[in-house]
Amino acid sequence: MFLYQLLNFFFVSSKKEEESSYDLSLYKRGDLLEVPRTLFTHFGIYLGDNRVAHLIPDILPVISRDKSSIAKMVTNNRLLLGVITKAASVRVDSVADFAYGSEILINHMDKVCSQPPLDGDEVARRAEKLLGSVTYSLLWYNCEHYVMYCRYGMAISYQTYQFCTIVRKIVFSQMSAYVTALCGVCTMLYLGCVTPLTVLLTLLVSFTIWMAA
């Protein structure tokens, strides 16, 4: 009990929950909602009646069976620990809890995605069908994959693509090839293991990075 109380205290957010100031008349069933949250953009599907279905990482269900606590707004602490442990769920929250105090964009992805959106009721039906626990993956299955599948029929993530593009530019660059080769040579000299095999491996890794750049 003490451990749970200690963990529960850790999960308390400094951000106080306020009454919803969002105009619900702006949202239609099946709308794709997005808000900036922490270091990324968070996405959800509006179901109507002040309900938003969204996939969100959450550590609390892993360490507690208290449904009333789990049902409360997912704080950033719970979210970040959920990302690390890959624990998540598709859940339904109020618009205010989903937005977490941020401004909401409506159907902004319609301008980005080449695929036309599905009918609003079909979008909401898909969103509701997927409710429950899921294994979270920052690159392969996040909140954007979920909403894109529900609204457009294809599970893709533009955030993931942009992230991978940036990583590729950093890792697979000519400078990285030079640095890799230099580090390999320095390591071999420091350890005194300059052999044909280690030289070949160093050259092979550096060449692979060079060709991928």
Side-chain angles (χ1 to χ4, degrees):
M1 177 63 72
F2 174 75
L3 178 60
Y4 171 72
Q5 290 176 340
L6 183 64
L7 289 170
N8 199 41
F9 174 77
F10 175 75
F11 290 136
V12 173
S13 172
S14 60
K15 192 172 195 175
K16 295 183 178 179
E17 185 176 1
E18 301 176 350
E19 293 185 3
S20 176
S21 58
Y22 300 96
D23 184 359
L24 300 182
S25 66
L26 297 175
Y27 316 126
K28 301 189 298 295
R29 181 171 167 82
D31 278 347
L32 191 159
L33 309 182
E34 61 181 281
V35 295
R37 181 166 182 174
T38 316
L39 301 177
F40 56 88
T41 300
H42 188 52
F43 298 85
I45 298 294
Y46 187 65
L47 303 178
D49 300 323
N50 192 26
R51 297 177 301 131
V52 181
H54 58 130
L55 188 161
I56 188 166
D58 186 7
I59 187 64
L60 195 54
V62 177
I63 60 176
S64 171
R65 295 182 181 275
D66 187 345
K67 293 183 179 180
S68 62
S69 296
I70 294 172
K72 292 180 181 179
M73 176 177 59
V74 179
T75 62
N76 281 334
N77 287 331
R78 287 168 56 179
L79 186 155
L80 292 174
L81 289 175
V83 171
I84 295 171
T85 58
K86 296 183 179 295
S89 64
V90 177
R91 53 183 279 161
V92 176
D93 283 309
S94 68
V95 170
D97 284 356
F98 163 76
Y100 206 63
S102 300
E103 181 182 358
I104 297 177
L105 292 178
I106 308 172
N107 298 331
H108 177 254
M109 281 296 178
D110 287 0
K111 303 175 183 178
V112 179
C113 185
S114 58
Q115 188 80 2
L118 301 171
D119 175 74
D121 283 333
E122 172 62 17
V123 174
R125 187 192 67 78
R126 288 184 174 212
E128 292 168 331
K129 186 177 180 180
L130 295 173
L131 293 177
S133 299
V134 299
T135 300
Y136 183 81
S137 172
L138 190 62
L139 295 181
W140 309 118
Y141 194 56
N142 58 43
C143 61
E144 189 174 5
H145 290 99
Y146 165 68
V147 298
M148 292 297 286
Y149 166 75
C150 292
R151 188 165 175 84
Y152 307 103
M154 49 185 185
I156 61 175
S157 172
Y158 290 104
Q159 286 186 114
T160 297
Y161 175 77
Q162 292 172 351
F163 172 77
C164 291
T165 299
I166 293 173
V167 171
R168 179 184 176 278
K169 288 181 179 179
I170 295 173
V171 176
F172 298 110
S173 65
Q174 293 182 355
M175 181 58 69
S176 294
Y178 294 139
V179 171
T180 300
L182 180 61
C183 288
V185 171
C186 292
T187 300
M188 287 187 294
L189 292 175
Y190 178 77
L191 297 176
C193 57
V194 182
T195 66
L197 179 60
T198 56
V199 171
L200 179 62
L201 287 174
T202 299
L203 291 175
L204 180 61
V205 172
S206 300
F207 179 74
T208 300
I209 295 175
W210 176 273
M211 294 304 295

